[in-house]
């Protein structure tokens, strides 16, 4: 897996380090064992991969999730679809990280080497947009404002941990084998949606792809994630829209159609509802930003 990885350092300070990581690994089996180099929060931006924390414990990573890694944690990675993945990883220094996480969960003080208890959390629009702004700040500015960058990273950490803790609330008792089956069903649906987010999918077609009945899939997905399947599909499309806008995609109508929206108006409405501004406004603000020239 390491041979397929390309990492770019966007920012580094005694408090945080920010990296863009691209993986070109092909679809296939699990990688060799890997180890996390630091306590990090990872934000998948495109593609999909599966993190195997153990033989029984795994999760699907895609652009609507946030992943947590403790330093020296071992794991393996596999890609259920082709084209690899792209992520942004923020590494946090241990002492300030433990101080923060313990304010949310005091029991962390008993295991400071493993400050993250959750494997993953949700990535709502507020986090996706904040991450987008961070990357634009790092990629486009000639001079970096360290305070601003570290403050955005702290904000991303706080909201990510909060969301993960909220998802870990106690639910109605359910048999372990049933719970595992439900998680596997949701993970399978995530993979299909991540791979086919541009397609006009029906509930029946999606259910057949994951070997489930339509209404059972819809009910379980909503119960496990708090989102409808359609909402999840739209979130995939909008996250990819952010990536394309960051690359300077000029024709918003073509972008909308390419991502699976029925029209420019449909795309703009969904984008504004998700991120609070029109895609044309976001694109214009990026055009006006001075680009940093690397030497």
């Amino acid at each position: 897996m390491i041979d397929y990885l390309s990492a770019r350092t966007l920012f580094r300070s005694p408090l945080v380090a920010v990296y863009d990581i691209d993986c070109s690994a092909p679809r296939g089996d699990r990688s060799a064992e890997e180890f996390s180099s630091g306590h990090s929060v990872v934000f998948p931006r495109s593609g999909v991969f599966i993190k195997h924390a153990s033989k029984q414990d795994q999760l699907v990573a895609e652009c609507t999730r946030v992943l947590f890694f403790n330093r020296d944690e071992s794991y393996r990675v596999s890609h259920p679809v082709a084209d690899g993945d792209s992520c942004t990883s923020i590494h946090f220094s241990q002492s300030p990280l433990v101080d923060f996480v313990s304010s949310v969960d005091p029991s962390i003080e008993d295991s400071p080497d493993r400050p993250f208890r959750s494997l993953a959390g949700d990535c709502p629009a507020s986090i996706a947009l904040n991450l987008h702004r961070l990357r634009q700040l790092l990629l486009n500015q000639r001079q970096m404002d360290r305070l601003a960058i570290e403050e955005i990273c702290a904000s991303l950490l706080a909201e990510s941990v909060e969301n993960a803790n909220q998802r870990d609330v106690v639910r109605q008792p359910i048999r372990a084998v049933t719970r595992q089956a439900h998680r596997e069903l949701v993970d399978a649906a995530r993979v299909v949606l991540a791979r086919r987010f541009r397609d006009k999918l029906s509930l029946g077609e999606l259910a057949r792809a994951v070997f489930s009945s339509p209404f059972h899939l819809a009910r379980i997905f909503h119960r496990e994630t708090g989102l409808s399947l359609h909402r999840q599909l739209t979130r995939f499309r909008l996250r990819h829209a952010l990536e394309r806008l960051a690359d300077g995609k000029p024709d918003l109508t073509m972008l909308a159609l390419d991502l699976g929206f029925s029209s420019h108006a449909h795309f703009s409405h969904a984008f504004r509802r998700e991120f609070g501004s029109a895609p044309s406004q976001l694109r214009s603000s990026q055009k006006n930003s001075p680009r940093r020239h690397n030497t």
Side-chain angles (χ1 to χ4, degrees):
M1 177 64 67
I2 302 300
D3 293 340
Y4 297 108
L5 288 178
S6 173
R8 178 184 181 186
T9 302
L10 302 183
F11 177 78
R12 184 190 294 273
S13 77
L15 186 63
V16 298
V18 184
Y19 306 93
D20 267 359
I21 301 173
D22 295 311
C23 179
S24 59
R27 176 180 179 180
D29 296 332
R30 300 182 188 186
S31 68
E33 189 175 25
E34 301 178 35
F35 295 89
S36 176
S37 60
H39 301 306
S40 58
V41 182
V42 174
F43 304 88
R45 303 192 328 272
S46 64
V48 56
F49 65 92
I50 299 176
K51 176 188 174 185
H52 305 269
S54 67
K55 290 184 178 179
Q56 293 79 28
D57 208 353
Q58 65 180 41
L59 63 89
V60 174
E62 30 76 357
C63 59
T64 67
R65 306 189 90 178
V66 177
L67 279 64
F68 301 96
F69 290 78
N70 291 304
R71 187 174 55 218
D72 298 328
E73 170 189 349
S74 66
Y75 60 94
R76 298 176 189 271
V77 171
S78 65
H79 288 78
V81 299
D83 299 327
D85 65 88
S86 295
C87 302
T88 295
S89 177
I90 304 179
H91 289 216
F92 295 88
S93 298
Q94 179 164 322
S95 180
L97 174 64
V98 171
D99 285 344
F100 167 75
V101 177
S102 62
S103 69
V104 179
D105 181 3
S107 66
I108 294 299
E109 295 179 355
D110 297 329
S111 54
D113 291 335
R114 298 186 61 80
F116 295 125
R117 296 291 180 86
S118 300
L119 291 177
D122 189 33
C123 180
S126 55
I127 288 181
L129 193 55
N130 217 9
L131 177 68
H132 177 77
R133 288 169 176 161
L134 173 66
R135 294 186 68 249
Q136 290 307 302
L137 182 65
L138 294 175
L139 293 170
N140 294 338
Q141 299 300 316
R142 290 191 177 94
Q143 293 184 344
M144 295 185 184
D145 186 329
R146 190 170 116 177
L147 176 60
I149 293 168
E150 292 179 338
E151 198 166 26
I152 295 174
C153 291
S155 175
L156 286 166
L157 171 65
E159 190 171 359
S160 298
V161 170
E162 266 183 33
N163 286 341
N165 287 347
Q166 288 173 2
R167 292 300 301 170
D168 287 340
V169 297
V170 178
R171 304 179 185 179
Q172 183 178 356
I174 185 172
R175 290 191 306 164
V177 64
T178 303
R179 172 67 67 198
Q180 182 63 27
H182 288 175
R183 287 175 176 169
E184 290 175 358
L185 177 62
V186 169
D187 281 350
R190 285 182 183 274
V191 170
V192 175
L193 290 172
R195 186 178 73 244
R196 300 184 57 189
F197 68 89
R198 293 181 176 87
D199 298 347
K200 297 186 182 299
L201 293 169
S202 68
L203 179 57
E205 186 177 6
L206 182 56
R208 287 192 296 273
V210 296
F211 306 100
S212 177
S213 64
F215 296 127
H216 176 71
L217 172 62
R219 179 174 66 88
I220 296 303
F221 193 90
H222 188 275
R223 191 177 73 181
E224 291 291 316
T225 68
L227 298 171
S228 68
L229 290 157
H230 181 266
R231 180 66 177 148
Q232 178 77 356
L233 178 64
T234 301
R235 291 174 84 203
F236 275 128
R237 291 171 174 172
L238 293 173
R239 297 305 195 277
H240 281 268
L242 277 180
E243 286 292 297
R244 298 281 288 277
L245 287 170
D247 292 336
K249 183 70 177 178
D251 191 326
L252 293 180
T253 298
M254 292 300 296
L255 174 60
L257 297 176
D258 184 54
L259 291 174
F261 292 98
S262 59
S263 65
H264 179 281
H266 180 204
F267 167 51
S268 293
H269 176 74
F271 194 95
R272 185 186 294 274
R273 185 177 62 183
E274 183 84 354
F275 299 119
S277 63
S280 57
Q281 293 174 311
L282 190 62
R283 183 183 62 177
S284 297
S285 68
Q286 291 170 186
K287 283 183 176 179
N288 296 330
S289 298
R291 280 216 167 270
R292 187 183 71 198
H293 299 286
N294 295 322
T295 57

